[in-house]
Amino acid sequence: MNHATLYMTITVAFMVVLAIIGIIISRGIKDTKDWMCAGKSLGRLPMAGTYFATIISATSIMSYMGYYYLNGWPGWWNAAGTLLTSFLACMYFAKKIRKSECNTLPELIEKRFCQPYSIAMSLLIVVSCTALLGAQVTGATIILQTFSNWSTMTCCIILLAVFIVFTCIGGMKAVAWTDTICSFVIIIGTWMIAISFLIKVGGFSAMNEGVAAVNPEFVKGFSAKIPPITALSWVVTWGICNFGAPQFVARFMSAKSPEIAAKSQGITGIGLLLFYTPLIMIGLSGMLIHPGIEKQDMVFTTLVFNEVNPIMGAIMMAAVVAAIISTADSLLLLIATTFAHDFYCKVKKDVSDKEELLVSRISTLVFGLGAVALTFIMNDTIQIIQAKAVTLMGAAMAVTVMVGVVWKRVNKISAGISAVTGLGTAGIWYFLGEPSGIMAALPACLVSFVVLIAASVFTPSNANDLADKVTMEHLFGKES
């Protein structure tokens, strides 16, 4: 059996197993609440597994490995923000958001602030997450084309069918458990490659010495390309803006209890460390084993296909396909539920549970096709596509959600103004070409925060009178 056939066989077998598991779990889906948030029944392990696997996407494995290969240790700052998200969620925000008893991020925004803000954010989520899904399809296409002669269109059709099977049938519960399986495969696969590469280069110290010989800046904390201000903007992008990314926030809402939502984030943080540590070692060792790769998104496939034992390489290919599937099914689920639950049902009114579930499943197909279409027009690296989409959602929602569940004085007026100025700042910063290497998330979140605090102080004290009283009680307790 040649290498390409071996890679294909193991990858396809893995996807078939995941599909069977998803179909079996789907038998317990009775209504839209089951489909959207697993009936709020997830324990610590599936909660941690689904959050981890949703964060660890095509970006994290393919594009980050290339980023480390091209930038050395300073590139690891892009992982620091992701770890910060889990730390903040574990310490406070996961528990607080779960206490709201909402099912989706737009629902939380509607009940905490107002419906117009929620509807606008629903549309932003649908557009941004469709772009994120397109990035996953792009990554998976690159993988499939390394060991097949399929056209891009053929790859897209096959991938879309797989994503829809996982999402449309089983909803959040199936997604959560298949994600958990994928998480173990991802961590095992990255460690196998890392250990193999470290042996090839003579160990950890030899790796760092070799990297320093290539470029002394690559073994420092910062570099000319990644100075402290760029590192800080990476931390804000993934550390703060993730709280405005509903594919992550929705995980908190699916937990059995607020306590489980918080504890699962502690487990996730450990999982992230177990993933990002070997990933950067692969990138740095790969710099020495196979120098001269110039395209960031091609580093992964070049290293794995040319420098790894075929069996190990096939497992790693299955791992990255696992990461892509786990993120893609989560995004498809999110897009469908956001459109059906948070937009369609608000605009049409009086929608039955059966109709909402039908619209959700139809939306899965429609927006899946939209994501495939985007893959033919997006030219950025997978990492940049994801960073831009998460930044735009974070600029409009992250600060208002984080401060809004902590400080009762935040209201619909201050939240709306903050969202508009944050999103506007991000747009202007992108238009200016992200001056001084500062990513848009940093100025956008800073402006959003300052405006939110100021507007909350200067708006009337009764501006929260129309907020949902039950949600407010869940978040802040009953008024004495």
Side-chain angles (χ1 to χ4, degrees):
M1 184 182 293
N2 61 39
H3 290 188
T5 303
L6 178 64
Y7 281 38
M8 176 69 77
T9 301
I10 291 179
T11 300
V12 171
F14 182 71
M15 288 193 291
V16 169
V17 170
L18 288 181
I20 292 171
I21 293 170
I23 291 170
I24 292 172
I25 294 173
S26 71
R27 295 175 182 176
I29 302 300
K30 300 181 181 67
D31 54 32
T32 52
K33 189 174 181 180
D34 279 343
W35 201 76
M36 285 189 300
C37 56
K40 297 190 181 296
S41 65
L42 298 183
R44 277 176 287 186
L45 181 60
M47 273 288 297
T50 189
Y51 189 90
F52 173 90
T54 301
I55 276 195
I56 304 306
S57 60
T59 302
S60 304
I61 294 184
M62 294 179 61
S63 225
Y64 278 23
M65 187 185 292
Y67 192 67
Y68 302 150
Y69 177 99
L70 297 172
N71 292 283
W73 280 105
W76 212 58
W77 282 105
N78 64 6
T82 306
L83 293 168
L84 177 62
T85 297
S86 285
F87 175 77
L88 293 175
C90 178
M91 295 301 294
Y92 187 81
F93 289 100
K95 185 175 182 179
K96 194 74 171 178
I97 290 171
R98 175 62 180 82
K99 278 185 175 180
S100 71
E101 293 294 338
C102 295
N103 296 316
T104 65
L105 179 56
E107 183 181 327
L108 172 60
I109 290 173
E110 177 184 349
K111 291 183 175 180
R112 177 63 182 87
F113 303 117
C114 62
Q115 190 176 88
Y117 179 19
S118 172
I119 291 175
M121 293 304 98
S122 297
L123 292 177
L124 176 63
I125 289 168
V126 168
V127 173
S128 298
C129 288
T130 301
L132 286 174
L133 181 58
Q136 302 308 308
V137 175
T138 299
T141 299
I142 292 172
I143 294 295
L144 290 179
Q145 289 182 332
T146 60
F147 49 79
S148 74
N149 57 359
W150 297 342
S151 68
T152 300
M153 180 58 72
T154 300
C155 290
C156 287
I157 292 172
I158 292 171
L159 291 166
L160 181 60
V162 171
F163 297 161
I164 288 174
V165 166
F166 281 106
T167 309
C168 196
I169 296 175
M172 176 61 85
K173 186 172 289 187
V175 165
W177 280 106
T178 53
D179 279 359
T180 302
I181 295 169
C182 290
S183 298
F184 285 106
V185 175
I186 291 164
I187 292 174
I188 291 169
T190 49
W191 272 107
M192 288 175 65
I193 304 297
I195 292 170
S196 170
F197 276 22
L198 283 176
I199 292 172
K200 281 188 177 183
V201 300
F204 187 81
S205 296
M207 176 194 75
N208 281 320
E209 291 171 3
V211 170
V214 174
N215 187 333
E217 285 194 335
F218 283 0
V219 293
K220 297 180 180 179
F222 306 99
S223 65
K225 186 177 179 180
I226 306 176
I229 192 66
T230 299
L232 177 61
S233 58
W234 266 128
V235 172
V236 172
T237 299
W238 303 127
I240 302 300
C241 287
N242 277 347
F243 285 99
Q247 66 269 34
F248 306 131
V249 177
R251 266 64 195 155
F252 309 149
M253 297 170 174
S254 300
K256 280 184 180 179
S257 67
E259 290 72 24
I260 285 178
K263 290 176 181 178
S264 70
Q265 284 300 299
I267 299 172
T268 301
I270 295 171
L272 291 170
L273 275 174
L274 289 174
F275 167 74
Y276 283 116
T277 300
L279 192 72
I280 191 165
M281 291 191 292
I282 295 171
L284 298 182
S285 299
M287 190 190 305
L288 308 177
I289 294 169
H290 197 117
I293 308 172
E294 297 180 356
K295 190 173 180 180
Q296 182 174 328
D297 286 345
M298 293 305 297
V299 170
F300 170 82
T301 52
T302 302
L303 291 179
V304 173
F305 207 71
N306 293 290
E307 303 295 341
V308 175
N309 173 280
I311 297 291
M312 194 181 298
I315 293 173
M316 190 59 190
M317 285 293 184
V320 75
V321 170
I324 291 168
I325 290 173
S326 61
T327 300
D329 60 15
S330 299
L331 287 169
L332 256 182
L333 176 67
L334 170 68
I335 294 166
T337 54
T338 299
F339 181 80
H341 183 73
D342 299 304
F343 181 76
Y344 181 84
C345 290
K346 297 299 184 293
V347 174
K348 185 180 179 184
K349 308 289 186 183
D350 300 320
V351 177
S352 68
D353 188 83
K354 184 177 180 180
E355 182 181 356
E356 181 181 344
L357 187 58
L358 176 62
V359 172
S360 296
R361 285 177 162 156
I362 293 174
S363 300
T364 301
L365 175 60
V366 172
F367 288 106
L369 290 170
V372 168
L374 283 176
T375 64
F376 291 93
I377 60 176
M378 294 189 298
N379 297 315
D380 286 329
T381 65
I382 300 171
Q383 175 177 284
I384 296 303
I385 294 168
Q386 179 151 331
K388 286 182 177 179
V390 170
T391 293
L392 291 175
M393 291 188 291
M397 292 179 281
V399 172
T400 57
V401 168
M402 294 178 75
V403 181
V405 299
V406 174
W407 190 27
K408 192 174 182 179
R409 185 63 187 265
V410 179
N411 55 70
K412 63 181 182 180
I413 300 171
S414 60
I417 296 172
S418 174
V420 171
T421 54
L423 191 60
T425 301
I428 292 170
W429 207 258
Y430 280 130
F431 178 77
L432 295 174
E434 297 183 299
S436 304
I438 302 172
M439 281 164 283
L442 181 57
C445 288
L446 181 61
V447 169
S448 177
F449 178 76
V450 171
V451 169
L452 181 68
I453 300 300
S456 296
V457 170
F458 289 106
T459 46
S461 58
N462 64 350
N464 265 324
D465 284 357
L466 295 179
D468 183 77
K469 289 181 172 53
V470 174
T471 301
M472 295 296 281
E473 285 182 3
H474 286 153
L475 290 173
F476 304 106
K478 293 185 178 181
E479 293 185 1
S480 56

